[in-house]
Amino acid sequence: MLREVDRDVSQTKQVKQLDRVIIRFAGDSGDGMQLTGDRFTQESAVFGNDLVTLPNFPAEIRAPQGTLPGVSSFQIHFADHDILTAGDRPDVLVAMNPAALKANLGDLPKGAAIIVDTADFTKRNLDKAGYDTNPLDQLGEVNDPLADFQVHPVDLTGITVEAVKEWGLSRKDASRAKNMFALGLLSWMYGRPTEPTVKFLEKKFSKVPDILGANLAAFKAGWNFGETTETFVVQYEIKPAKMNAGTYRNITGNLALSYGLVAAGVRSGLPVFLGSYPITPASDILHELSRHKSFGVTTLQAEDEIAGVGAAIGASFAGHLGVTTTSGPGIALKGEAIGLAVMTELPLVVINVQRGGPSTGLPTKTEQSDLLQAMYGRNGEAPIPIVAPQSPGDCFAAAVEAARIAVTYRTPVMLLSDGYLANGSEPWAIPSIDDLPAIDPNFATAPNHTSKKSADGEPDEFWPYLRNEETLARPWAIPGTAGLEHRIGGLEKGEGHGNISYDSVNHDRMVRIRQEKIKRIADSLPPLEIDDPSGEAKVLVIGWGSTYGPIGAACRRVRRAGYNVAQVHLRHLNPFPNDLGAILKSYDKVLVPEMNLGQLSKMLRAEYLVDAIGYNHVYGLPLKAAELAEAVGALVGEAEGKGVDLGEHGLNPPADHEEAPLS
Amino acid sequence: MTTIDLPLPGARTGTELIPAVDEGVTQTAKEFTSDQEVRWCPGCGDYAVLKAVQGFLPDLGLRRENIVFVSGIGCSSRFPYYLDTYGMHSIHGRAPSIATGIATAREDLSVWVVTGDGDALSIGGNHLIHALRRNVNMTILLFNNRIYGLTKGQYSPTSEVGKVTKSTPVGSVDHPFNPVSLALGAEASFVARTIDSDRKHLTAVLAAAAAHRGTSFVEIYQNCPIFNDGAFDAIKGMGDHKGEKDYAVIPLDHGQPITFGVRDEAGLGDKALVRSASGHIEVVDTADISTDQILVHDAHDPDPSTAFAISRLTAADYLNRSPIGIFRQVERPTYDDQARAQVSDAVAKVTGTAEDRLTALINAGDTWTIA
């Protein structure tokens, strides 16, 4: 199967320019595909491309080897211009075994390149992947199942084992470096800088010289294989993207969110206290924050989800910035405690990194189906503010914003991230700390109410529910403050004094005050940004959270095809910004793409009586831009009373517009 | 997996890091009493405990503003409203987790949890055992009335098998917990049992509990006159059980031989605990053994098994026998001290402003600059 490797080939390699490429690395869960993808991403980031990544892996740590459910993949879309998504369909698939080939084939467009490791195409592995015959044996034949693609079969494992021979590893250990061979090959093919990976390997394996040597040798062998053999004759160049001035780094959502929480602590002067219980895909935040004790961050791995939020509430009562992190099932467990924080009006940041549901659902897949849970998932009238980041890097700013609202308004705040944002990455323009909003804890230090017993007419009592007239926030008096001793709890509070009250009029009033307090947060929000370049759009596409990328990409496709469409993306889901109602009413049609069955649309319909049209997918993966563009286009056609054909920008581009195949 | 030997913060008392009142200042029970009307049923054992706590807190000598009472849900959990300290009446069963957050966040607070048998042992059982395991510096007062009071009379996790209640009209088939055995099993570092009506003993146990660094667990037998009246009459020598007290209470005093029943001139009861040949703890007639065979109570024994064996002498059905006192009091590093030490050690190792360090943090790794 392995093509002759002609070491004497002296053919000049061609260099082709591309504006963007989507590569998917796919292999067994143990093949190191996430690492390979991460490294390729870092190389591309340092090179200066814009990029978006999409890791996709099974919930099992080591799913049965060689099977379809065990396939782990990492997709990277990189470009010489500003891009918004990890791409719908890969131009290049690197498949390390039959299962990886089979599981990903359906996502490839005609003409895509497939680089496949032939070593694992044994009877046993073909059986496991459900292949009756070896598809690689039929290449070029009449019934070639891969005829639509440019297939490059390479014995990646065999060449790797040969290349790392001098390090004296067993075949099994030696073959584990095959992901570095693949990385080297792809790095050559796309002219990636190799230095970051060499440095990375030297650091990672500094204590195991033979493993380091083998990985470096495999990486270099992969590069040289591309450069010297005739298997690959074309090298591609994707120039650095023009980006705004600034210092950038590549960052995942969970890391950005963790940094945002540290930043919120620094900006507020409050020690951050995280109470958390491990859960996919939120655990990274617990791991990361546990490394930042030097910022005064305390992390408590609790006995369960409820204890995690309980400890955070306790810490907030004691004057820290209480934070709890989890995913949807954890929010279900924390509901009662979040209600307690609503009633006691204590600052609390609740992070929900959403995943596929219901119940245990799809732990490693993405979804945004917890919006209504965030809105209504508590007993009683228990409103809480909700904020959502729109991209991995934006998780930083969203975390700071959640803390700002929590501290300023003395309320639990829900931040809705999701599995795609958590693990996906993009270049992030590193902000200046001075540009972040200041957060003032404004602790109460003195009595605030004058009782009849007051001798001098000065305040002599502390009323824990006497509010700031503007924000309706109550005072935050922390233990250790003499003269402000007070009791709070889950029972209804009497207005002002905060003692238990079962009075019906008081209850009605307090329910409305708590609601009004959340509503007033909208007064602190900037106007919405409307992306409507022509100013003539009749259709508005509105979304929230991680669908920002696909929605933006879809709108660009529609505009490039010559049609008008407007986009608005919501950071704040509760309260809605003050100008949202007027914006919605200024468009003929409103489309709401979501990775759920229509939760934001339901809220918009309820709040504004607008005929919001849903576009809803729950595949556990981000929305696909081309498909969404078709839906947007169809609605534009309906609104403007004309036929819409997106042509090359839509789902079914004409054949002559297909991306040029590799080689 | 790697393990690291953690530095052990020096032995401290439970109140050492908490600001004391200024010299010469004495506080009164009245100062610790809030202006809220106490709303327990007439005759409830909670009144006696409240009085004892209000009377005891001034003696602690700590600043009132540095004392925090946290409770869950249930009759006893109204407790914080009646004390003029900081307090939180939280949600059912979760008080230990909230108190863990408070105690870990702040070393300068005296943290108390007030809970009941349903709150702590049923809905909050998980938080209780984990608080005890972690040994967070706080005191947990478990009011055990062996019944659900606030929900009007269902059996609780400490109710005896066969108990007829509203939810068990033909008798409960649930096997009860022995709270002290449970706490010892969770490796609590301070475990005691006392009685609502014995103010002197209750106060002494509270003082020892507050002085202990770590989680102090105190079970308080507390009578519910409405739904389980007389549950502790044998222990108290009241009602139909007058005169049974001497044989119902097995007093535990560290360093003292454990005897009960009718006492002789030397103070030895006519019943004694001994370790049998098989290693069990048994009750025998003192007259049948020599005094040096009597088990001497050692609350400081690092091995909790003898304390556990003593706890098993508690009657499982009607409570006509129960060891009372401090079962166990051992030193063990506390979670909160160690967690704070990890943070303060990390803080001590860095220089520069937090803003500068944060800037360095988010700029670390592979970055590139576009002009």
Side-chain angles (χ1 to χ4, degrees):
Chain A
M1 279 306 310
L2 176 63
R3 288 184 186 178
E4 281 282 302
V5 176
D6 184 355
R7 295 278 166 195
D8 294 323
V9 74
S10 54
Q11 177 187 355
T12 315
K13 302 267 174 176
Q14 305 169 35
V15 175
K16 268 193 183 171
Q17 299 276 341
L18 291 177
D19 63 346
R20 63 187 192 98
V21 174
I22 302 162
I23 300 176
R24 185 182 292 177
F25 297 93
D28 217 43
S29 312
D31 280 345
M33 289 299 97
Q34 301 305 319
L35 177 70
T36 310
D38 267 341
R39 291 318 315 160
F40 194 89
T41 302
Q42 286 301 339
E43 291 174 359
S44 300
V46 169
F47 183 74
N49 292 129
D50 194 13
L51 61 89
V52 181
T53 69
L54 172 67
N56 190 9
F57 44 87
E60 294 77 15
I61 303 301
R62 292 282 185 273
Q65 221 177 352
T67 61
L68 293 174
V71 173
S72 165
S73 72
F74 186 103
Q75 184 165 315
I76 171 170
H77 180 189
F78 57 106
D80 67 359
H81 58 277
D82 155 39
I83 53 170
L84 293 166
T85 74
D88 293 357
R89 310 211 283 167
D91 303 308
V92 182
L93 171 69
V94 179
M96 304 302 276
N97 67 5
L101 178 65
K102 184 155 196 184
N104 291 289
L105 208 53
D107 293 339
L108 301 185
K110 253 186 169 178
I114 300 173
I115 297 166
V116 57
D117 182 5
T118 57
D120 268 352
F121 279 67
T122 58
K123 170 87 173 70
R124 195 175 130 83
N125 282 327
L126 288 162
D127 283 350
K128 277 195 212 167
Y131 276 117
D132 296 333
T133 54
N134 185 348
L136 301 184
D137 286 345
Q138 296 157 277
L139 292 180
E141 291 175 13
V142 185
N143 58 347
D144 180 358
L146 303 175
D148 283 345
F149 310 106
Q150 298 287 321
V151 184
H152 302 278
V154 180
D155 183 7
L156 291 174
T157 304
I159 305 174
T160 302
V161 170
E162 193 63 27
V164 307
K165 221 175 189 174
E166 61 169 301
W167 298 98
L169 302 174
S170 68
R171 183 178 162 91
K172 194 178 161 209
D173 280 347
S175 68
R176 289 183 65 183
K178 67 184 172 190
N179 64 330
M180 284 300 117
F181 183 92
L183 178 63
L185 175 58
L186 272 289
S187 298
W188 169 80
M189 202 179 286
Y190 294 97
R192 305 287 94 182
T194 54
E195 205 175 301
T197 294
V198 171
K199 271 193 189 157
F200 169 84
L201 290 173
E202 283 171 352
K203 195 172 165 199
K204 183 176 167 78
F205 297 120
S206 64
K207 287 178 185 151
V208 274
D210 50 343
I211 304 286
L212 169 63
N215 275 283
L216 285 175
F219 181 60
K220 285 172 187 161
W223 178 284
N224 293 337
F225 183 82
E227 194 164 64
T228 57
T229 71
E230 65 175 6
T231 311
F232 300 95
V233 291
V234 186
Q235 227 184 339
Y236 298 91
E237 187 178 31
I238 297 93
K239 294 204 162 122
K242 286 179 199 67
M243 294 163 90
N244 292 329
T247 299
Y248 288 79
R249 63 177 287 171
N250 190 57
I251 199 161
T252 64
N254 272 348
L255 185 60
L257 209 157
S258 306
Y259 285 172
L261 292 171
V262 174
V266 171
R267 290 301 277 175
S268 63
L270 298 171
V272 172
F273 188 106
L274 173 68
S276 183
Y277 186 77
I279 185 169
T280 303
S283 303
D284 295 338
I285 305 169
L286 168 61
H287 305 163
E288 185 61 31
L289 285 181
S290 69
R291 302 174 59 223
H292 298 297
K293 294 178 171 49
S294 66
F295 286 94
V297 176
T298 300
T299 55
L300 185 149
Q301 182 177 315
E303 60 271 23
D304 60 28
E305 294 281 359
I306 301 171
V309 64
I313 290 172
S316 280
F317 183 64
H320 287 217
L321 178 57
V323 180
T324 191
T325 51
T326 187
S327 187
I331 296 293
L333 289 163
K334 294 180 200 288
E336 188 190 14
I338 297 170
L340 175 68
V342 169
M343 199 61 144
T344 53
E345 302 190 39
L346 287 170
L348 177 72
V349 176
V350 182
I351 312 279
N352 177 358
V353 185
Q354 300 166 95
R355 64 192 216 185
S359 188
T360 311
L362 300 171
T364 59
K365 309 296 179 194
T366 195
E367 207 162 281
Q368 40 182 192
S369 46
D370 297 344
L371 177 57
L372 294 180
Q373 180 196 41
M375 278 297 290
Y376 303 115
R378 293 162 297 285
N379 62 303
E381 296 285 352
I384 60 170
I386 303 168
V387 301
Q390 64 183 32
S391 70
D394 188 45
C395 288
F396 180 88
V400 176
E401 173 66 354
R404 178 192 74 86
I405 295 173
V407 172
T408 309
Y409 293 87
R410 322 303 201 204
T411 176
V413 176
M414 183 86 74
L415 186 155
L416 292 178
S417 179
D418 65 36
Y420 164 62
L421 294 176
N423 294 311
S425 69
E426 64 171 355
W428 175 53
I430 303 171
S432 161
I433 303 306
D434 295 337
D435 293 343
L436 302 178
I439 301 172
D440 182 6
N442 192 20
F443 290 131
T445 53
N448 58 357
H449 178 257
T450 308
S451 77
K452 287 176 191 150
K453 289 179 286 182
S454 172
D456 51 8
E458 291 295 312
D460 61 335
E461 282 184 349
F462 177 66
W463 280 22
Y465 282 77
L466 213 53
R467 295 167 190 280
N468 176 303
E469 283 180 16
E470 186 192 337
T471 61
L472 297 181
R474 77 172 189 88
W476 188 9
I478 63 171
T481 316
L484 307 192
E485 296 84 0
H486 66 281
R487 278 66 55 194
I488 56 176
L491 285 169
E492 183 60 282
K493 302 284 165 282
E495 188 182 353
H497 54 73
N499 293 321
I500 298 173
S501 169
Y502 301 125
D503 180 82
S504 58
V505 174
N506 175 76
H507 175 60
D508 181 88
R509 191 163 161 71
M510 290 298 277
V511 166
R512 291 172 197 279
I513 287 173
R514 284 188 288 266
Q515 180 68 46
E516 175 65 16
K517 179 176 84 166
I518 301 307
K519 201 173 152 224
R520 286 197 188 178
I521 294 167
D523 296 340
S524 73
L525 306 182
L528 282 169
E529 285 177 27
I530 307 165
D531 181 23
D532 184 2
S534 68
E536 290 173 9
K538 289 187 168 18
V539 171
L540 171 69
V541 188
I542 183 167
W544 65 283
S546 74
T547 50
Y548 171 75
I551 294 174
C555 288
R556 286 182 186 179
R557 282 169 179 258
V558 171
R559 288 173 196 148
R560 277 204 293 269
Y563 304 95
N564 295 322
V565 64
Q567 184 192 0
V568 163
H569 209 72
L570 297 174
R571 144 92 80 235
H572 297 90
L573 284 312
N574 194 36
F576 284 133
N578 287 331
D579 52 352
L580 178 58
I583 292 170
L584 290 172
K585 289 187 168 68
S586 65
Y587 290 90
D588 293 357
K589 303 265 183 199
V590 175
L591 184 70
V592 190
E594 295 180 85
M595 296 185 290
N596 59 42
L597 295 186
Q599 302 195 4
L600 176 61
S601 356
K602 194 177 293 255
M603 285 166 61
L604 294 177
R605 282 169 166 268
E607 185 71 24
Y608 301 108
L609 290 175
V610 61
D611 185 17
I613 301 163
Y615 175 88
N616 307 98
H617 282 183
V618 279
Y619 294 123
L621 289 165
L623 301 179
K624 293 199 187 316
E627 289 176 15
L628 179 53
E630 291 288 351
V632 174
L635 198 60
V636 168
E638 212 177 297
E640 301 190 1
K642 62 185 182 190
V644 164
D645 181 1
L646 299 184
E648 63 176 311
H649 304 291
L651 193 54
N652 300 302
D656 59 339
H657 275 105
E658 193 64 71
E659 292 279 340
L662 294 165
S663 83
Chain B
M1 287 290 176
T2 314
T3 57
I4 294 174
D5 286 329
L6 298 170
L8 300 181
R12 295 169 173 151
T13 69
T15 56
E16 195 177 309
L17 302 174
I18 303 162
V21 293
D22 294 339
E23 220 168 300
V25 171
T26 48
Q27 303 177 106
T28 63
K30 196 167 169 254
E31 287 173 85
F32 279 93
T33 305
S34 78
D35 59 357
Q36 295 300 293
E37 181 195 2
V38 184
R39 291 188 193 165
W40 288 310
C41 307
C44 178
D46 291 354
Y47 283 98
V49 184
L50 178 62
K51 278 281 169 220
V53 169
Q54 286 168 338
F56 156 77
L57 285 176
D59 296 338
L60 256 184
L62 302 177
R63 287 181 173 273
R64 196 156 52 89
E65 63 269 24
N66 289 83
I67 297 174
V68 183
F69 273 77
V70 184
S71 63
I73 294 294
C75 294
S76 60
S77 287
R78 298 297 177 92
F79 207 90
Y81 289 118
Y82 308 136
L83 292 171
D84 200 2
T85 63
Y86 282 88
M88 193 191 300
H89 174 216
S90 73
I91 44 176
H92 208 8
R94 318 304 172 194
S97 70
I98 291 166
T100 294
I102 296 171
T104 305
R106 297 271 301 271
E107 64 183 13
D108 62 335
L109 301 178
S110 172
V111 181
W112 297 72
V113 169
V114 179
T115 182
D117 40 320
D119 193 53
L121 300 171
S122 198
I123 194 167
N126 199 33
H127 306 306
L128 178 71
I129 57 174
H130 287 278
L132 298 174
R133 161 178 80 85
R134 290 197 184 97
N135 201 30
V136 178
N137 191 32
M138 61 184 174
T139 299
I140 298 174
L141 306 179
L142 188 156
F143 293 40
N144 181 8
N145 57 13
R146 309 188 75 188
I147 199 77
Y148 279 67
L150 201 60
T151 51
K152 300 187 178 176
Q154 302 83 6
Y155 74 99
S156 90
T158 56
S159 296
E160 55 274 31
V161 170
K163 192 170 192 74
V164 173
T165 72
K166 276 187 185 155
S167 57
T168 52
V170 291
S172 165
V173 296
D174 256 4
H175 183 78
F177 268 140
N178 175 331
V180 166
S181 297
L182 184 81
L184 290 166
E187 297 189 48
S189 59
F190 182 103
V191 181
R193 177 184 283 155
T194 182
I195 305 165
D196 57 358
S197 54
D198 187 346
R199 179 156 176 181
K200 195 175 153 205
H201 189 265
L202 175 58
T203 303
V205 167
L206 292 179
H212 175 73
R213 191 155 199 91
T215 306
S216 301
F217 175 83
V218 181
E219 180 190 8
I220 304 171
Y221 284 153
Q222 174 251 320
N223 190 50
C224 173
I226 308 296
F227 297 109
N228 201 18
D229 196 24
F232 307 101
D233 275 3
I235 300 287
K236 299 179 180 184
M238 289 170 60
D240 296 341
H241 299 270
K242 277 203 175 65
E244 293 179 22
K245 182 179 171 182
D246 286 347
Y247 288 100
V249 173
I250 305 176
L252 302 176
D253 294 297
H254 176 68
Q256 296 299 312
I258 308 172
T259 67
F260 59 107
V262 177
R263 297 192 177 268
D264 64 14
E265 286 171 4
L268 284 184
D270 61 353
K271 297 283 184 186
L273 302 193
V274 295
R275 190 182 299 278
S276 73
S278 62
H280 292 102
I281 303 300
E282 288 177 353
V283 177
V284 295
D285 288 334
T286 310
D288 295 344
I289 53 165
S290 66
T291 50
D292 59 1
Q293 286 179 280
I294 302 173
L295 184 70
V296 174
H297 183 47
D298 181 8
H300 302 163
D301 186 351
D303 180 347
S305 50
T306 302
F308 185 84
I310 294 169
S311 79
R312 303 313 296 163
L313 297 173
T314 313
D317 298 326
Y318 182 74
L319 200 65
N320 56 12
R321 192 174 75 188
S322 180
I324 302 286
I326 298 169
F327 287 72
R328 175 171 162 87
Q329 182 176 9
V330 297
E331 275 180 17
R332 182 152 72 79
T334 71
Y335 176 90
D336 53 313
D337 281 330
Q338 294 197 305
R340 281 191 299 265
Q342 287 186 338
V343 171
S344 55
D345 288 355
V347 169
K349 280 183 192 141
V350 293
T351 53
T353 66
E355 284 79 5
D356 288 347
R357 288 188 289 115
L358 176 59
T359 299
L361 173 70
I362 62 179
N363 281 278
D366 294 333
T367 63
W368 67 98
T369 300
I370 292 172

